[in-house]
Amino acid sequence: MLDFALPPRCPGCGAITREPHRFCLDCWRSLTFLGEPCCGRCGLPFAYPGGGGEAECGRCLADPPPFDRLRAAVAYGDIPRQVALKLKYSGRPGLAETLAHFMLRHVRPGERDVLLVPVPLHRWRLWKRGYNQAALIASALSRRSGLPAGLDLLTRTRATPPLKGLGRRDRALAVRGAFKVPPRARERLAGRHILLVDDVYTSGATAAACARALKRGGAASVEILCWARVVQVDEA
Ligand SMILES: [Zn+2]
Ligand SMILES: [Zn+2]
């Protein structure tokens, strides 16, 4: 209730804004919104338009990721990182609405059989933090898009170490087998198109492990939708 009584604030720096879920001008200018032209699969920005919407980048062609599509609202950077940290650790679950507001543009309208599924937290971490930020974003997206959300279709069977600083192979090893579709969820998952929701996409190891588990569990396809993604120039 308090949220409604107070003036809306910029999710980046806290300056008072005219409307809720809006950034102040300075923070807004620092954001890089992602969209076309980009790789039809991983969403990596292309320097020049061409090849239509489905052309894929060299990396996806050489080594196809286990997911069908990846889209993010903004490129990872100082402000997107701060917003994600506030949502995660500062007891500001209302920020999930703001992120959903910006992510909604990548949800294709008229999609059928789509189910929003958050990247799960391990239950110890969930118990400590009190909420899963990805589940809050998925719920907010569900309310705004009308698409159903399946918050318990994917579980994290063990706590995974921080992936930061690990090499590609070690990251993949760290999350291997960490995600599972519980047997009771298989029926609801069968043949569905999954929109896997997360806050930040960095190396992609977690998203890849989740996508593999969802497909093994019967999902027809897996798209990843996140608030911010790392855009490495050397990826192109
Ligand atoms: Zn600001
Ligand atoms: Zn790509």
Side-chain angles (χ1 to χ4, degrees), residues 9-17 22-28 79:
R9 288 181 179 275
C10 170
C13 69
I16 289 174
T17 55
R22 296 286 190 275
F23 285 90
C24 74
L25 197 57
D26 284 345
C27 289
W28 176 265
I79 297 292

Side-chain angles (χ1 to χ4, degrees), residues 38-46 55-61 63 65 67 70-71 229 235:
C38 66
C39 169
R41 187 146 179 167
C42 76
L44 193 76
F46 283 161
E56 295 189 3
C57 72
R59 178 175 277 218
C60 284
L61 289 172
D63 185 14
F67 49 79
L70 160 66
R71 290 295 180 270
R229 67 162 292 177
E235 260 185 347

Side-chain angles (χ1 to χ4, degrees), residues 120-143:
L121 275 188
H122 189 258
R123 58 194 158 86
W124 293 344
R125 209 160 280 169
L126 186 62
W127 181 76
K128 271 213 290 220
R129 196 178 298 164
Y131 58 89
N132 172 5
Q133 74 281 2
L136 292 181
I137 302 171
S139 300
L141 278 167
S142 173
R143 279 194 297 277

Side-chain angles (χ1 to χ4, degrees), residues 147-208:
L147 294 172
L151 303 182
D152 56 354
L153 294 186
L154 187 64
T155 57
R156 200 184 282 242
T157 55
R158 58 181 170 82
T160 46
L163 303 182
K164 207 174 174 179
L166 296 181
R168 189 178 150 93
R169 180 186 293 250
D170 287 336
R171 288 193 300 259
L173 272 176
V175 294
R176 194 158 75 180
F179 301 94
K180 224 183 187 156
V181 172
R184 59 177 161 75
R186 284 183 163 256
E187 202 180 320
R188 271 194 297 156
L189 194 67
R192 302 299 289 268
H193 298 281
I194 302 304
L195 215 43
L196 181 70
V197 177
D198 207 358
D199 50 357
V200 172
Y201 179 97
T202 46
S203 72
T206 300

